[in-house]
């Protein structure tokens, strides 16, 4: 996988200095695609000054309204968090994360998602992610500055890339499914589960979250999604 297929996604960032510091950290490690989701501050002089010359990352940044839009074209979405969640998400060590990304073929796109300075990522945002990475830190003081977290993970990718130069050839017959395709499948699945009476919309519990986790950890391909949606459509037709 080429480094240009990786995007760094910052969600709801409140401090422009952190956006500038992130741009600098990224460009030091040859990663240049930055997407801002609903930024809570202007990207102006403070950000450019902290970027210390990494202007191209800021100039080329993409800004979108929400996380689904930021990761729609990605086949692997990796959340970062300083803390573990109540419904455990498949976790990767930073080294494993970098190895996994670099082994993907050049047709894949990957997003590394970073949360708000004060509150991190919401549980709904975590639900869009295939994996979670937690950088090991002092358990009594585990939360890194967001740009420092970006620096450490980009460094790990850059370091491993220099010792793992050969990328896999893309499988043109069966590409990895993108986040947008998976979301389309989850909506379809939920509809059928509700129509069949399996899922009570008034009391859904954690069923959809658990099902998402099951599917997301399997890195599904486009053909597999098409088969699953075909099955759901067949069930719907029979009901009608
Ligand atoms: N109080 C927040 C901390 C947010 S720190 C919380 O509990 O989630 C801002 C962001 O920096 C986090 O959302 C995450 O993207 C990143 N970050 C901070 N510390 C990290 C760590 N130890 N491992 C991975 N990412 C971390």
């Amino acid at each position: 996988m080429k480094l240009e297929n990786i995007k760094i996604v910052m969600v709801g960032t409140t401090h422009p200095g952190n956006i500038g510091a992130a741009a600098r950290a990224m460009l030091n490690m040859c990663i240049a695609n930055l997407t801002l989701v609903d930024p809570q501050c202007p990207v102006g002089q403070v950000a450019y000054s902290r970027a210390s010359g990494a202007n191209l990352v800021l100039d080329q940044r993409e800004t979108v309204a929400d996380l689904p839009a930021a990761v729609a074209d990605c086949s692997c979405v990796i959340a970062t968090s300083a803390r573990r969640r109540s419904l455990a998400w498949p976790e990767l060590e930073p080294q494993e994360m970098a190895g996994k990304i670099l082994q993907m073929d050049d047709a894949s796109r990957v997003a590394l998602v970073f949360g708000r300075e004060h509150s991190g990522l919401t549980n709904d945002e975590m639900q869009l992610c295939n994996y979670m990475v937690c950088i090991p830190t002092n358990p009594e003081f585990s939360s890194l500055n967001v740009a420092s977290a970006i620096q450490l993970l980009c460094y790990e990718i850059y370091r491993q890339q220099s010792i793992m130069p050969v990328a896999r050839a893309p499988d043109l017959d069966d590409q990895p499914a993108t986040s947008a395709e998976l979301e389309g499948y989850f909506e379809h699945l939920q509809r059928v589960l509700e129509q069949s009476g399996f899922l009570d919309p008034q009391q859904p519990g954690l069923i959809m979250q658990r099902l998402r986790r099951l599917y997301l950890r399997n890195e599904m391909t486009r053909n597999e999604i098409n088969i699953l949606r075909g099955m759901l459509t067949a069930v719907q037709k029979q009901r009608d």
Side-chain angles (χ1 to χ4, degrees):
M1 141 95 63
K2 299 194 201 95
L3 297 187
E4 65 209 50
N5 289 3
I6 299 172
K7 61 168 112 171
I8 300 298
V9 179
M10 296 179 81
V11 181
T13 312
T14 54
H15 198 298
N18 283 334
I19 296 177
R24 178 182 189 176
M26 289 166 59
L27 196 59
N28 283 146
M29 300 298 142
C30 297
I31 294 177
N33 299 322
L34 175 64
T35 301
L36 303 180
V37 174
D38 187 28
Q40 301 295 305
C41 59
V43 181
Q45 208 217 316
V46 175
Y48 276 85
S49 137
R50 284 290 298 279
S52 303
N55 293 8
L56 81 92
V57 175
L58 295 180
D59 291 345
Q60 293 172 5
R61 74 186 183 274
E62 205 190 6
T63 303
V64 296
D66 56 27
L67 188 56
V71 301
D73 62 341
C74 294
S75 52
C76 183
V77 182
I78 302 178
T80 59
S81 179
R83 62 197 156 99
R84 300 213 154 74
R85 306 294 171 129
S86 48
L87 183 63
W89 223 239
E91 244 183 75
L92 297 173
E93 294 287 323
Q95 294 93 317
E96 285 177 288
M97 170 218 68
K100 197 170 232 332
I101 290 175
L102 292 167
Q103 275 165 11
M104 289 175 191
D105 69 42
D106 282 340
S108 306
R109 299 196 127 256
V110 175
L112 270 178
V113 184
F114 295 84
R116 298 159 189 82
E117 288 94 333
H118 294 295
S119 53
L121 295 168
T122 64
N123 283 334
D124 278 353
E125 287 160 350
M126 293 292 294
Q127 296 288 318
L128 289 161
C129 302
N130 302 79
Y131 299 102
M132 184 181 102
V133 179
C134 185
I135 301 164
T137 46
N138 176 355
E140 310 294 321
F141 190 63
S142 65
S143 176
L144 289 156
N145 166 267
V146 64
S148 303
I150 291 174
Q151 180 76 81
L152 286 168
L153 294 183
C154 289
Y155 167 70
E156 190 55 42
I157 295 168
Y158 182 71
R159 187 184 72 78
Q160 286 196 34
Q161 192 236 12
S162 61
I163 50 176
M164 190 203 284
V166 189
R168 213 157 31 97
D171 175 354
L172 297 176
D173 290 334
D174 199 7
Q175 302 274 308
T178 62
S179 180
E181 287 161 347
L182 275 161
E183 289 309 307
Y185 171 65
F186 290 135
E187 277 166 28
H188 196 170
L189 178 63
Q190 184 163 355
R191 235 179 5 257
V192 174
L193 294 182
E194 286 176 359
Q195 285 164 353
S196 68
F198 178 80
L199 194 67
D200 177 357
Q202 306 309 321
Q203 284 191 318
L206 287 177
I207 289 178
M208 277 315 294
Q209 290 183 32
R210 290 187 192 280
L211 286 172
R212 290 179 77 94
R213 193 173 55 164
L214 165 68
Y215 286 111
L216 283 166
R217 72 168 172 254
N218 282 301
E219 295 175 15
M220 308 226 287
T221 66
R222 193 165 287 167
N223 287 346
E224 288 163 348
I225 292 279
N226 286 340
I227 294 171
L228 289 168
R229 292 202 65 161
M231 285 163 54
L232 293 177
T233 305
V235 171
Q236 282 175 308
K237 275 201 187 123
Q238 210 179 26
R239 249 190 115 249
D240 298 343

